[in-house]
Each structure stands twice: as structure tokens, then as C-alpha cells.
Amino acid sequence: MHRHSRRLATALVCLVATTALFTACSGGTGEGEESAQPSPSVPKSSSSPSKRAAGEVNRDDVNGDGHADVVVNGWYRAKPGLEWSRNRFVALAAATAAADGPDPGEAFRLKESLPELGPPISTGPIGQDQSTQFTGDLDDDGYADVVAGDMVYDADGDFVPEQHIHWGGPDSLAAVTELADDVLPAIATGDFDGDGALDLLTLARPSFSQSATEPQPATVLYGPLGRDGKPRATSTTDVGYGGWVSVAHTVVGDFDGDGRDDLVTKGVYDEEDARLEDGPPEGVTDATFYRGTAGTTGRAGSLKAAGSVPGVTGAGSLPLDTGDFDGDGHQDIIGRGQVGDRAVVVYGSAEGPGRGEARPGDLGKLKPGLAVAVGDVNGDGYDDLATNPRGEDRRIGQVVVVLGGEDGLDTTRTLTIDRYTIGLKGSPRTAGDRDRFGWDLYMADLDSDGQDELLIGTFGFTEPRKDSGYWILRGTPNGPSTSDRHFVRTKDFGSS
């Protein structure tokens, strides 16, 4: 199953909100511009040539046991009334099929070898946490690594960005490398040139200026990377069309099924932008499909613009995540419609996303929330979707799971889960009280039985679960089980 980083669009929205910026990449800003950047410290590859040629890459197996793991950005309060603390960890899958999965205490915690995070979070992490985290084997040693971006206080008390690679291994994430200041914000890993080694995609934050003529560079750092964080080569593309498009949403996936990862960008405009009275220049689109390309001998690949994206461009949808919901080998895009907020699916095809067989892409009245997770919860080979629906102000949180199939996502295959569905009791005690059930979502096969578990983040109001934590619902052929489930406090992951 081709998996990718979750909630990239949300990560970029957080970047838009920051005031401190990463400095611009020095690798150029012209489309497809390349720069050789040797990295003598790149370790010897552990992948066989045949696997590398077939494009088999390790996207999420952090401890190298052959099972996919998941990085979780968890928050909790040690005691009621205290400020929120973070436990960012990798939940490890069981090495062999197990009834309850692995011991949560054995999770890998990210070493927070950073300056003090700031400012303190006192009212909950929703909408305030500006960090990013995703996985991929960037040094090609057989272990997926964790890329973490944070806004932190420096020695002078200023709020500045930092990003680190926490290198995977069989026992921990002991080694950490801070990326150089001139590396743009990292947003995803992907094999953009199809050589079997994962690359790191970075993107400059959008300016949203009505008079800007500066490019917005997206730079691919081609792997394997050295332990110093340096790539073997880079390639930079201006995804902002010289300032006409402010890209604030992206997704990465192999949308055309050619074995190389691609990029889809979506721009955001100010309705008062006077430049748009006569429309943008010819060839400029606010939603663009960039196809990953192989490099020629001695040169890196590049991202090549391959046209607009039906269902995303104009007043279409804002891309949120990707998955192969119809099992045809092409990654599909799940998005939020800009009119009505409803969930929209843009299906991949050999020609690119949205260019294949026409089919209904609107998922009825489902309005995806900030939390979106993609995985295969029933083990049928089709990716499924989980989200916390937005819209009405629910004090009892909900999670909606839509199962994939040969015809893609279909709301006739929908499960709705809340605290009462899984057997909990209790109700809000005050007008502003909520249980925040589903504020954070993940899918991962933690018990290694071929069916993903659904991790539902919650913090709330009443017994028996005042503590912040994750309900882990076991995957079954019918979807997440509402009876075979258990609760793990956020602060207990990686505690052993």
C-alpha cells in the first residue's frame, strides 16, 4: 500500500500563520533548475539493486522489522489546570501478529533536543500546534526516519523555526541532525525520480502579496541524504508562477501510476487582489499537477508542470490527503470543497489526477474536519478514510469512517463512531465543555494482522477517561471494532 504523510495541507496552513520564516534555498528558483550537491557521508545502501529498480522504498518502518509504524504528535496535561505538554512518539507495530499489538511503553519518543517550545499552550493544542512530522528512509539504511519541524524560542527569546531529522534504528531514534537554516520548510518525503531512494520535498511559505513577483520555490532534496542532512542533488521549481499563485495546500502521491511520486499544489487568493480583475496570465493555474521525472545520467530528476487539476482548480476542493481508494494503482486525492465544505475525491489516472473515468466525487454531506487519516482498516486492499466531521458545534465528538472499494469511497459504506458507540458514558457538565473525541486521528496496523487500527485522540470532561490519550480500535473485515478497543494515555507511550 502506497502511504504518504498525513495532513500536509494542515501543515502548510500552520506555516502560513507563522511570522518567522525559513531563509530561501540557495539552489535557484527556475523551473527544474538543478544543482549538484555531493554528500560524502551518505551510508552504503542496504537495499538490493532489484528493489531499488522496482521503486520499493521504506516510507514508515522506523525500527526495520518489516512492519509499518506511525509517528504521533500527542498532547496532554500532567494535572488539570496545568499547561499542555507534548509527547511526540513513534507507535511501533508488533513484529508478529499479536492480539493486543505491541506494548505502548516501547514506543520511540522523539528526543526533544530543542530549545524551549513557545509560546506555552494553555487552552489545548487544536489550532495552536505549528509543528510538522512525517517519516521516510532518507539515508537508505533500511530504517525510516522522522522529519520534525517546530517553532521554538532561541537563545534571544525570539520565536524561530527549526527542523530536525531523527534517524531511525532498531532500538531508538537516538541520532538527530538539525537541518541547515537555508533549507526550506520540509513538507513530505517521496520518490520523485523513481530510483528507489526517498527524497525530501521542501517548500517556501506563500507571501499572499498582491504585488509580489517573486517565485515560490519547491525544492526536492534527492536521496539518499547524508547523516549531515545534505542531499546528493537538488532540483527547484517555482510553483508560484512568479508570484501569481500563493501555494498553501499540497499533497504528494503517485497519481499517474508511473512509479514516481508527484506533487499537486493549490493556491489561495485574496478576493480583493486587483491583479485578478482581468484574470491571471495565460498558463497560470491555481491548482497544478507536477509530475515527478527521472534524471539523466549524472543529473537529478525534477518536478515538471503537467497541467491543472480538475476538481481542485478554481472553486474546486482544497487537497487534504491521498490514498488509493479504488485500488487501481493510482493515488487519489481527498479534499474539502471550497463551496459547502463537503468532502470531494479526485481520482488518479494514467493522465493525472481528475483526468480518468468520470465518477461522483462528492461524498454527500460529509464535511471533513482538521483531523484526516487514510489507511486500510478492513484489510481488503482498498484505502479507507477517517475524519472528524465539521459543521455543527458538537459537544460530543464524532469520527466518520468511509470504506473504499472497487468504485472508490462510497457513503453507503460509512461508520460513525463516538464515545457512546464504544461503550463510554458521561456527558458535558458545562455549556463550553466538550470531549474532543476524534481531534487527532491515525491509521496503522499495530497488531500486524493486515488490518489497520484506528487511533482516536481524545481529551475531555468526564470519567472514566479524563486523561488525554488515544482509543485504539482494532481493525476487522467490517472496519474498526467498537468493542475490541483499549485506551492508552498520551503520556504513557514510550514510558518504559
Side-chain angles (χ1 to χ4, degrees), residues 103 172 175 179 308 315 410 417 419 446 479 495:
D103 179 0
S172 68
L179 293 179
S308 62
D410 189 334
I417 303 168
R419 63 183 294 109
L446 296 181
S495 60

Side-chain angles (χ1 to χ4, degrees), residues 19-110:
T19 56
L21 311 181
F22 289 93
T23 55
C25 177
S26 60
T29 57
E31 181 174 325
E33 183 175 343
E34 301 171 2
S35 64
Q37 197 167 7
S39 183
S41 61
V42 172
K44 183 177 180 180
S45 171
S46 64
S47 301
S48 68
S50 61
K51 286 188 175 182
R52 292 288 298 276
E56 296 181 15
V57 294
N58 179 4
R59 300 176 187 272
D60 43 25
D61 179 9
V62 176
N63 63 349
D65 65 354
H67 301 279
D69 310 307
V70 60
V71 58
V72 177
N73 186 35
W75 288 86
Y76 67 97
R77 287 187 293 188
K79 293 182 179 179
L82 295 182
E83 291 177 344
W84 290 80
S85 300
R86 179 166 64 179
N87 180 17
R88 187 163 47 179
F89 58 90
V90 176
L92 301 173
T96 57
D100 297 323
D103 179 0
E106 297 177 353
F108 289 174
R109 289 187 175 181
L110 273 66

